[in-house]
Amino acid sequence: MTRSAAIQRAQQYFDDGALFADVARRVGRPTESQNPERAAELRDYLDSEMRPTLEALGFTCRVLEHPRAKGPFLFAERIEDPALTTVFSYGHGDVVPGMEGRWRDGLDPWALTPKDDRWYGRGVADNKGQHSINLAALKCVLETRGKLGFNVKYLIEMGEEMGSPGLLDLCAAHRDLLRGDVLIASDGPRLLAERPTLFMGSRAIINVDLEINAREGGHHSGNWGGLLSNPGIQLANAIATIVGPTGRILVPEWLPPALPDSVRRALADCALDMADGPAIDPGWGEPGFTAAEKVYGWSSAEVLAFVCGNPDKPVHAIPPRAWARMQLRYVVGVDPDAVVPALRRHLDRLGYDMVTLSSPRQEIAPATRLDPEHPWVQWAAASIVRTTGKKPALLPNLGGTLPNHVFSDTLGMPTLWVPHSYAGCSQHAPNEHLPVAIAREGMAIMAGLYWDLGEKAPA
Ligand SMILES: [Zn+2]
């Protein structure tokens, strides 16, 4: 009954094909949450896949629903002793559309296929493979030790790919039932495929639409040019006051007050390697920042779309209207409720009061981040070093967005995410895949973490 025996059992589970079988069964269920015809599949994933798996591990399960949710949630708990540490975990069983017919070599998104040291299938990275690894590692630790030595609460959501409707309300309504001492869960990508990673929060997003409606209809540019204002020119100039010519954000309320020292120190060890993607533009974004600081430590703003006139068929007229959608991704330190009002004041001050602002339907969430020097982070990092011999990347928050505020703010837990995927996994496109090396290492990492939780967890 040792730590290494638990890790060995987890690796054996992988090597025997047992993890592949788990993931294959789950990928075989077309749980597309954006497809109304799949509603029964969503419920069935919980009833006939997750529930039996969790009950076999000694969990008590119940389905939770909320009127604002689009799908059911499964809540499972395994309490050995209320005095022990309670770990909260989360996974989502829904996936984005399969995009059948668009996969390489005619691959079927609903059949897990091994190929080139990867497993291909819809949901294998986001998120079925990731929660399957965690549940399998939990099983291996339980079988090795005969007990866990800690309590577990597990929440499986079926609406994450629709933006997690109702998740916040559900967690607020069942705060005492759901709350644990720490969240340890898996989603999202590692910093680099070969490097174990911990991230402790996420950036958040606000989209805002800018529009100028000058008048009814277009007017001939030969007769009216120089006399009538052009909304396209006005909107382009307005945007240029929001983000400078090299992508620097110029609205102070859109930026955090500073990059904390502990975040800077953690990111100094997180060099990006975007070798598989387009070349990075070094002069773009916040001047003087490293690439990691730009993505993980700071805000970034984009123009997602800009329309004026008829782009498919330009005519010799002053267009009556221009419209753009901008997006702000922000970190802790930016007040989400201040973002749009600050933009309004900024535009008014500079004379752009003709620009109207509106926010597309969205839930405004705060950004979250746990200090990289928090005791739980240091504990988890030490466990991963002990298991893999590799120093994990410690990302204060993900560059992308997860509903982490529900866990960190509403449920009030420190949040540790241990991703078992990488940026090139094509999670929302055809050819979603999971490298087998990450899956196998993920089994070991999770077995080590669960083992260590039963030994001595931070107070
Ligand atoms: Zn996703």
Side-chain angles (χ1 to χ4, degrees):
M1 190 187 110
T2 61
R3 187 179 199 271
S4 60
I7 291 171
Q8 208 180 342
R9 188 186 281 263
Q11 307 246 256
Q12 199 62 45
Y13 194 89
F14 181 92
D15 294 340
D16 290 347
L19 182 71
F20 184 90
D22 288 345
V23 180
R25 256 189 349 265
R26 293 168 190 161
V27 165
R29 295 164 174 273
T31 50
E32 301 164 308
S33 53
Q34 296 163 20
N35 179 351
E37 287 167 25
R38 301 294 198 192
E41 291 284 354
L42 300 185
R43 180 61 194 243
D44 200 46
Y45 188 82
L46 298 181
D47 290 343
S48 67
E49 186 56 51
M50 286 292 110
R51 184 186 276 267
T53 299
L54 286 156
E55 285 178 349
L57 298 176
F59 281 81
T60 309
C61 299
R62 60 190 273 199
V63 170
L64 297 178
E65 291 182 271
H66 192 278
R68 291 188 65 187
K70 292 271 167 26
F73 295 77
L74 188 72
F75 175 68
E77 62 181 338
R78 188 183 188 285
I79 307 295
E80 285 188 358
D81 176 351
L84 295 170
T85 300
T86 299
V87 177
F88 178 93
S89 196
Y90 160 88
H92 67 90
D94 65 317
V95 296
V96 295
M99 305 174 190
E100 293 89 338
R102 293 173 49 201
W103 289 53
R104 64 176 283 199
D105 308 324
L107 289 177
D108 175 359
W110 311 116
L112 189 65
T113 310
K115 203 177 181 64
D116 305 334
D117 295 323
R118 296 165 166 182
W119 295 349
Y120 282 85
R122 174 59 78 225
V124 66
D126 181 15
N127 169 264
K128 292 172 174 174
Q130 301 216 33
H131 61 252
S132 296
I133 288 168
N134 294 3
L135 288 169
L138 197 69
K139 174 182 159 77
C140 293
V141 169
L142 182 59
E143 288 172 355
T144 306
R145 187 181 261 147
K147 59 178 181 167
L148 289 175
F150 57 95
N151 306 314
V152 189
K153 296 181 176 183
Y154 224 106
L155 186 69
I156 305 278
E157 182 189 4
M158 299 306 292
E160 198 270 351
E161 301 296 359
M162 301 189 73
S164 297
L167 176 66
L168 178 77
D169 307 273
L170 182 107
C171 288
H174 297 283
R175 197 176 264 127
D176 293 334
L177 178 69
L178 269 55
R179 187 165 20 212
D181 296 305
V182 64
L183 172 140
I184 299 179
S186 299
D187 201 8
R190 289 177 166 193
L191 176 70
L192 306 173
E194 62 279 7
R195 187 164 183 204
T197 299
L198 282 167
F199 66 84
M200 284 79 74
S202 82
R203 291 205 293 186
I205 294 184
I206 289 180
N207 289 339
V208 56
D209 290 356
L210 295 80
E211 183 169 3
I212 300 176
N213 250 313
R215 60 189 69 81
E216 201 58 44
H219 288 75
H220 192 280
S221 54
N223 299 332
W224 297 94
L227 301 177
L228 294 182
S229 65
N230 184 315
I233 293 170
Q234 288 174 314
L235 190 56
N237 277 281
I239 291 171
T241 73
I242 301 168
V243 186
T246 57
R248 183 183 201 178
I249 294 172
L250 303 173
V251 182
E253 291 88 345
W254 284 26
L255 295 171
L259 187 64
D261 287 339
S262 60
V263 172
R264 194 181 290 272
R265 277 195 292 275
L267 293 178
D269 183 47
C270 297
L272 299 186
D273 175 6
M274 310 297 255
D276 293 337
I280 288 177
D281 295 311
W284 192 258
E286 187 68 18
F289 276 31
T290 66
E293 287 167 355
K294 290 173 185 176
V295 179
Y296 301 109
W298 210 242
S299 303
S300 56
E302 309 297 338
V303 173
L304 301 180
F306 189 129
V307 183
C308 115
N310 182 351
D312 295 328
K313 204 176 175 197
V315 293
H316 293 184
I318 299 160
R321 170 182 181 267
W323 173 93
R325 174 163 296 174
M326 292 192 69
Q327 177 176 77
L328 175 69
R329 287 194 187 259
Y330 56 96
V331 290
V332 167
V334 173
D335 174 5
D337 294 324
V339 166
V340 176
L343 178 60
R344 179 72 274 160
R345 286 195 304 276
H346 169 89
L347 291 172
D348 288 348
R349 189 169 60 242
L350 295 173
Y352 293 104
D353 53 335
M354 78 294 280
V355 179
T356 59
L357 301 179
S358 59
S359 292
R361 238 169 58 82
Q362 59 191 325
E363 274 188 39
I364 304 292
T368 57
R369 168 194 287 164
L370 184 63
D371 190 304
E373 291 165 14
H374 189 282
W376 271 109
V377 181
Q378 297 300 316
W379 169 85
S383 171
I384 292 173
V385 169
R386 201 171 159 200
T387 302
T388 64
K390 300 180 196 173
K391 188 162 172 257
L394 301 183
L395 298 178
N397 50 260
L398 198 63
T401 298
L402 280 175
N404 192 59
H405 63 290
V406 174
F407 310 120
S408 63
D409 299 1
T410 308
L411 295 182
M413 298 179 288
T415 49
L416 300 175
W417 294 87
V418 189
H420 311 308
S421 182
Y422 77 119
C425 70
S426 302
Q427 62 184 105
H428 284 185
N431 304 325
E432 179 174 353
H433 62 274
L434 178 62
V436 297
I438 295 182
R440 191 170 190 278
E441 190 174 62
M443 286 294 297
I445 287 172
M446 297 312 293
L449 284 166
Y450 291 141
W451 182 270
D452 293 343
L453 265 175
E455 297 280 292
K456 190 176 186 322

